[in-house]
Amino acid sequence: MEFIKVTDNKEPYIALIELNRPKELNALNRQLMEEVRDALQQLDKNDAVRVIIITGNEQAFAAGADIKQMADKTAIDMLMIDQFSTWDQIRKTKKPIIAAVSGFALGGGCEFVMTCDMVIASETAKFGQPEIKIGTMPGAGGTQRLTKAVGKAKAMELILTGRFLSAEEAHFYGLVNKVVPKEMYLYEAFQLAKEIAQLSPVAVQLAKESINRSFETHLDEGLTLERKNFYLTFASEDQKEGMRAFVEKRKPNFKGK
């Protein structure tokens, strides 16, 4: 891995992916995103990992896509490169992903944050889709995910003007879960990850799938999937352990089976 660092032994059941192009403010080139995809696919298969954190550095989560890779491309070039197929594969990660964001999360960086499941933001974080200022528009899901997160009117304003949201504004509009001081954002992401990692990984993954489906289907289809996944948890040892522990008034010991 050239542009990311992966650590899976810092805390039990938690893996950390750090974007590592500091001179470019972690601009998202194709190789970086492919490395992220490959790392997520490996972590998804690793039974010792239950929750994944993705972060950048204090200055930038990711300041956008790597414009140098795209500036001279034609429409046919972009079609043939099909760079967003990598993003589609990232979106299919089964385990929960927490974005720990400080500094800039702009353009592709903001879209990357929105592919994650939860977001802990430093008070210095800035979110936005400024593609309109360079003559284009979001292409990795910004028009869709931002609209679902903040509503049509606000998404129109942000995308058509290219202006940024502060961390507090992003929290107000529901784009992030929590805003904390700069020195605490990664710590708080780990605290959230630890809480989730203590629970049944089977139930967590099925719940994540069900929540995500609510954004992709009509209500009837979403309810059908939710019920199927609910019933499916009863095939797991974790469900038996969890309910038995509740009845016996003790802490459950989930094993992901």
Side-chain angles (χ1 to χ4, degrees):
M1 299 293 187
E2 182 180 356
F3 295 132
I4 68 172
K5 297 178 181 179
V6 182
T7 307
D8 60 6
N9 57 4
K10 186 175 181 180
E11 294 283 354
Y13 299 124
I14 300 170
L16 175 67
I17 297 176
E18 299 173 84
L19 309 185
N20 188 35
R21 296 188 74 203
K23 292 182 181 179
E24 295 82 11
L25 296 178
N26 292 329
L28 306 176
N29 63 10
R30 291 195 300 277
Q31 182 179 338
L32 183 151
M33 295 307 296
E34 288 168 359
E35 289 180 8
V36 170
R37 175 202 60 199
D38 294 346
L40 288 173
Q41 289 177 343
Q42 292 172 17
L43 294 171
D44 237 5
K45 298 174 184 177
N46 185 347
D47 291 339
V49 174
R50 296 183 179 181
V51 185
I52 302 162
I53 298 172
I54 299 179
T55 193
N57 54 49
E58 289 189 358
Q59 191 174 5
F61 177 85
D66 192 333
I67 303 303
K68 292 179 181 179
Q69 279 195 339
M70 298 186 287
D72 297 325
K73 296 290 189 292
T74 67
I76 299 302
D77 290 335
M78 296 301 288
L79 179 65
M80 299 305 294
I81 291 169
D82 191 22
Q83 66 193 52
F84 298 130
S85 61
T86 302
W87 293 65
D88 292 337
Q89 292 168 308
I90 289 172
R91 182 172 58 86
K92 295 176 182 177
T93 304
K94 296 178 181 178
K95 295 176 181 177
I97 303 173
I98 301 170
V101 181
S102 183
F104 298 116
L106 306 175
C110 187
E111 290 171 307
F112 191 9
V113 168
M114 291 190 290
T115 66
C116 298
D117 303 305
M118 291 154 283
V119 185
I120 302 296
S122 158
E123 59 192 1
T124 67
K126 299 285 186 184
F127 301 86
Q129 301 289 159
E131 291 91 341
I132 204 80
K133 293 185 176 181
I134 57 171
T136 186
M137 59 173 280
T143 63
Q144 305 303 300
R145 293 191 179 95
L146 189 63
T147 302
K148 288 179 170 61
V150 305
K152 175 185 173 182
K154 198 65 185 177
M156 282 285 190
E157 175 192 339
L158 293 171
I159 292 172
L160 299 190
T161 67
R163 85 167 189 86
F164 301 165
L165 281 179
S166 69
E168 290 295 343
E169 287 176 309
H171 183 254
F172 175 81
Y173 285 108
L175 194 61
V176 307
N177 295 77
K178 190 174 186 179
V179 179
V180 298
K182 182 170 66 174
E183 61 271 16
M184 297 290 289
Y185 76 100
L186 192 54
Y187 170 82
E188 289 291 341
F190 269 98
Q191 293 305 109
L192 178 58
K194 287 179 185 178
E195 186 175 353
I196 297 168
Q198 293 176 10
L199 306 174
S200 164
V202 175
V204 165
Q205 290 183 37
L206 290 172
K208 169 179 170 170
E209 180 191 20
S210 300
I211 293 167
N212 281 337
R213 189 63 63 89
S214 73
F215 289 97
E216 301 164 357
T217 63
H218 296 297
L219 179 61
D220 284 346
E221 295 175 60
L223 289 172
T224 298
L225 177 76
E226 179 188 74
R227 289 167 189 168
K228 184 205 74 168
N229 284 348
F230 171 72
Y231 299 146
L232 192 56
T233 65
F234 283 75
S236 72
E237 294 178 16
D238 280 352
Q239 175 269 330
K240 301 295 184 291
E241 167 64 9
M243 292 192 176
R244 191 178 301 117
F246 179 84
V247 172
E248 296 172 359
K249 299 182 179 180
R250 60 176 174 81
K251 186 176 180 179
N253 179 24
F254 293 121
K255 298 181 179 178
K257 296 181 180 180

